[in-house]
């Protein structure tokens, strides 16, 4: 039987007191923040499913105790064992301790220090990472049936989790910055803006794959779709057919995230409905909870996330992203951009706004929702194109953002109604009681009323003003 070893480095500690013994250094504010975002993910990954052995240093003890405080239902403090021998910076000491004290445990978690933990991981597993940031966990699967038989390269990495992958707020500390100098000429500005967005997209991928913070997926989609919008605008301005391949790549991978993002947003609403929404009738909240809505949508979300993980790690995705980067940094792309100026943008933007205004004027009370969705997409394209040029009307941009928010509210309500309707239709495996069904139908009706109110506001919008103050 294989052994499981989980190594957790203590959270960020304080160096404020130069006279304090190293063993007594406490966690600092950042370390405490790391604990709040890592507790749930570590529990989800099974870090506390076996005995936990912790160094007696203050920063290691505070790390475990802080994690336990964020997991009150687990009662972890009862199962912890503090070990003086784990206050060591040598992996040989940890290896000796494991061989001697591992016993019959199938899984052991150690909370300790670097470089001992990282060196131990690299000794046991050739695929271990090159770094172990504070509050990071490495899970090793060891090909041995006895701790006493541990030997070099007997294992492999099963999982790894850093605070910057578990939480978008932690990620932002060192995230790539999007470079977009609106005062620079387009042929210099856009390559830098697109290249920096590419770097941010790639940096977001581990957080998207981990799936603990939906903000990673949200930002991933924003940067994919923003890049696509820029390329789409360039294609329309230049009529360059060579832009179709990179455009198709961005469109394809952005669409691959759509269902998962809808489910992420919906589940947040569902949690609020069940736990906090005082406007909902108690029977509606009970119906959602007792009919298993959270579990049903959570399982669907999990399947979509697994599909996306396979996509991100797949050969096709990796090749497409490499082709995208190659095109971005090519001299051919830079030369094409030199043909674009403010007048070319205006010549493309004016008919685009006219088409939007015509579609808006044609709306009636009987128009299908798809007509509003098409206008929503057209409006986004207008905004992205407008933002390409620094001379664009500030009044127009403000109006575009305001309308995008309204169309977004309409879209969100449509998604909520559609997902709840699907839930009611898919009850073969878990029949919904008539009372619960009636309560959920009433919720759908309430959302439909809200949608109609937003829809009425969209139908009452006036034509967009002319661009560039014209």
């Amino acid at each position: 039987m294989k052994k499981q070893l989980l190594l957790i480095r203590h959270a960020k500690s304080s160096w404020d007191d130069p006279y304090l013994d190293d063993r007594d250094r406490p966690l600092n504010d950042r370390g405490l923040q790391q604990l709040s975002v890592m507790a749930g993910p570590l529990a989800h990954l099974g870090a506390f499913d076996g005995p936990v052995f912790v160094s007696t240093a203050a920063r290691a003890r505070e790390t475990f105790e802080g994690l336990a405080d964020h997991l009150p239902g687990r009662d972890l403090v009862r199962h912890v064992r503090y070990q003086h021998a784990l206050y060591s910076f040598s992996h040989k000491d940890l290896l000796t301790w494991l061989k001697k004290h591992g016993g019959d445990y199938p899984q052991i978690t150690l909370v300790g220090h670097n470089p001992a933990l990282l060196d131990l991981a690299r000794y046991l597993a050739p695929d271990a990472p090159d770094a172990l940031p504070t509050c990071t966990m490495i899970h090793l699967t060891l090909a041995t049936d006895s701790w006493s038989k541990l030997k070099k390269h007997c294992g492999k990495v099963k999982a790894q989790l850093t605070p910057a992958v578990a939480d978008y707020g932690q990620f932002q500390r060192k995230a790539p910055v999007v470079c977009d100098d609106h005062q620079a000429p387009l042929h210099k500005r856009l390559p830098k803006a697109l290249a920096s967005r590419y770097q941010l997209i790639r940096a977001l991928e581990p957080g998207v794959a981990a799936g603990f913070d939906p903000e990673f997926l949200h930002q991933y989609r924003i940067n994919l779709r923003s890049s696509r919008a820029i390329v789409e605008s360039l294609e329309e301005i230049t009529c360059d057919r060579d832009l179709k391949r990179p455009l198709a790549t961005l469109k394809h991978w952005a669409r691959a995230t759509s269902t998962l993002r809808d489910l992420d947003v919906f589940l947040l609403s569902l949690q609020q409905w069940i736990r906090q929404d005082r406007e909902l009738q108690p029977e509606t909240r009970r119906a959602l909870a007792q009919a298993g809505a959270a579990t049903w949508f959570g399982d669907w979300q999990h399947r979509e996330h697994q599909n996306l993980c396979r996509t991100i790690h797949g050969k096709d995705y990796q090749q497409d992203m490499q082709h995208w980067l190659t095109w971005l940094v090519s001299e051919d792309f830079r030369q094409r951009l030199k043909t674009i100026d403010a007048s070319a943008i205006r010549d493309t933007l004016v008919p685009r706004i006219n088409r939007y205004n015509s579609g808006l004027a044609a709306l009636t009370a009987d128009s299908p929702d798809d007509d509003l969705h098409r206008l929503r997409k057209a409006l986004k394209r207008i905004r992205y194109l407008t933002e390409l040029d620094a001379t664009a009307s500030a009044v127009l941009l403000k109006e575009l953002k305001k309308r995008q928010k309204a169309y977004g509210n309409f879209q969100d309500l449509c998604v909520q109604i559609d997902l709840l309707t699907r839930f009611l239709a898919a009850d073969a495996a878990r029949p919904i009681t008539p009372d619960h069904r009636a309560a959920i139908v009433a919720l759908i009706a309430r959302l439909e009323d809200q949608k109609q109110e937003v829809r009425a506001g969209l139908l009452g919008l006036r034509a967009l003003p002319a661009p560039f103050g014209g």
Side-chain angles (χ1 to χ4, degrees):
M1 181 178 179
K2 294 182 179 180
K3 300 294 187 181
Q4 306 295 321
L5 177 62
L6 294 97
L7 307 174
I8 301 176
R9 185 183 175 190
H10 64 79
K12 192 72 174 177
S13 57
S14 173
W15 292 88
D16 289 346
D17 187 347
Y19 301 104
L20 198 63
D21 186 82
D22 178 76
R23 186 189 298 273
D24 298 324
R25 287 194 295 109
L27 300 183
N28 61 16
D29 289 344
R30 184 179 153 208
L32 296 176
Q33 291 174 356
Q34 290 175 328
L35 298 180
S36 68
V37 302
M38 287 292 285
L42 287 176
H44 179 81
L45 293 174
F48 310 117
D49 291 351
V52 183
F53 297 93
V54 181
S55 159
T56 53
R59 57 192 182 276
R61 294 199 317 271
E62 290 181 13
T63 293
F64 175 79
E65 290 164 4
L67 292 170
D69 287 344
H70 289 288
L71 298 166
R74 299 292 297 269
D75 195 17
L76 298 181
V77 176
R78 290 178 55 193
H79 306 288
V80 66
R81 298 159 176 82
Y82 294 102
Q83 300 288 315
H84 175 75
L86 299 183
Y87 176 64
S88 173
F89 306 105
S90 169
H91 79 282
K92 294 180 180 179
D93 291 339
L94 302 188
L95 187 62
T96 299
W97 186 90
L98 281 168
K99 288 181 177 181
K100 184 177 180 180
H101 299 286
D104 296 328
Y105 297 122
Q107 173 177 311
I108 289 176
T109 296
L110 301 183
V111 180
H113 310 267
N114 255 5
L117 292 176
L118 180 59
D119 289 346
L120 177 63
R122 298 177 72 177
Y123 174 84
L124 293 173
D127 59 343
D130 294 327
L132 187 68
T134 53
C135 211
T136 290
M137 182 273 290
I138 301 177
H139 182 169
L140 304 178
T141 295
L142 307 172
T144 180
D145 58 0
S146 172
W147 294 103
S148 63
K149 297 178 182 178
L150 288 179
K151 60 183 180 180
K152 187 173 183 179
H153 291 176
C154 67
K156 61 181 180 179
V157 175
K158 180 178 180 180
Q160 179 185 355
L161 187 68
T162 69
V165 170
D167 177 72
Y168 181 73
Q170 295 287 320
F171 167 82
Q172 278 188 300
R173 293 183 62 257
K174 296 183 178 180
V177 177
V178 174
C179 303
D180 201 351
D181 181 4
H182 287 266
Q183 303 305 315
L186 275 177
H187 71 278
K188 292 184 177 179
R189 169 192 163 201
L190 291 188
K192 291 182 179 179
L194 287 169
S196 61
R197 285 192 184 279
Y198 171 86
Q199 296 299 332
L200 181 54
I201 289 168
R202 302 315 302 265
L204 287 163
E205 288 170 1
V208 172
F212 292 112
D213 187 344
E215 188 62 22
F216 281 103
L217 179 63
H218 180 53
Q219 295 299 324
Y220 176 84
R221 280 170 55 82
I222 285 176
N223 285 280
L224 265 181
R225 295 165 76 184
S226 295
S227 299
R228 167 192 165 186
I230 292 173
V231 177
E232 196 171 50
S233 298
L234 295 177
E235 182 197 30
E236 187 165 348
I237 292 170
T238 62
C239 299
D240 188 343
R241 293 186 176 182
D242 289 341
L243 297 179
K244 288 189 177 297
R245 179 178 178 182
L247 181 58
T249 294
L250 294 170
K251 183 183 296 187
H252 174 74
W253 297 121
R255 284 180 174 173
T257 66
S258 296
T259 301
L260 179 57
R261 179 57 185 168
D262 285 345
L263 289 167
D264 283 347
V265 174
F266 178 80
L267 278 166
L268 290 175
S269 298
L270 182 61
Q271 291 169 3
Q272 292 176 349
W273 290 338
I274 294 175
R275 299 176 185 175
Q276 303 171 5
D277 195 334
R278 297 183 181 274
E279 295 183 8
L280 284 186
Q281 295 296 324
E283 55 267 25
T284 303
R285 296 202 298 272
R286 284 195 300 270
L288 290 169
Q290 295 175 8
T295 299
W296 192 81
F297 284 108
D299 289 345
W300 186 3
Q301 179 197 43
H302 178 67
R303 294 192 299 272
E304 289 294 332
H305 180 252
Q306 287 183 315
N307 290 337
L308 184 58
C309 288
R310 285 191 286 269
T311 292
I312 289 177
H313 296 132
K315 182 179 178 181
D316 289 346
Y317 176 82
Q318 296 298 329
Q319 287 181 341
D320 279 351
M321 294 305 284
Q322 185 57 49
H323 289 154
W324 168 234
L325 177 62
T326 300
W327 181 78
L328 281 180
V329 299
S330 68
E331 183 61 27
D332 184 48
F333 173 54
R334 295 175 185 274
Q335 291 299 322
R336 292 166 195 256
L337 284 176
K338 291 182 179 180
T339 64
I340 302 174
D341 56 18
S343 63
I345 295 175
R346 179 180 302 195
D347 290 344
T348 306
L349 185 58
V350 169
R352 187 178 282 189
I353 289 179
N354 290 339
R355 288 195 297 271
Y356 169 83
N357 285 337
S358 296
L360 185 64
L363 288 178
T364 68
D366 297 325
S367 295
D369 288 348
D370 284 347
D371 286 355
L372 278 81
H373 293 318
R374 280 191 285 271
L375 287 175
R376 174 178 59 85
K377 294 175 182 178
L379 192 75
K380 284 196 296 185
R381 295 186 180 98
I382 290 170
R383 175 183 170 184
Y384 287 128
L385 185 56
T386 303
E387 289 176 340
L388 286 182
D389 192 79
T391 65
S393 166
V395 174
L396 175 59
L397 280 172
K398 183 178 180 180
E399 178 64 21
L400 290 172
K401 292 177 183 179
K402 178 182 176 182
R403 293 191 185 203
Q404 267 194 280
K405 184 176 181 179
Y407 281 108
N409 291 338
F410 181 77
Q411 169 72 1
D412 289 344
L413 288 164
C414 288
V415 169
Q416 290 174 352
I417 292 168
D418 176 63
L419 291 179
L420 285 172
T421 302
R422 291 192 190 192
F423 175 67
L424 290 180
D427 66 345
R430 29 146 250 341
I432 300 174
T433 68
D435 288 347
H436 290 165
R437 178 177 292 276
I440 296 172
V441 168
L443 173 59
I444 293 174
R446 174 191 171 193
L447 295 173
E448 188 67 46
D449 289 342
Q450 293 176 6
K451 188 186 86 170
Q452 293 306 320
E453 183 178 344
V454 176
R455 177 189 171 95
L458 293 173
L459 264 63
L461 290 173
R462 297 182 179 181
L464 280 174
F468 307 98

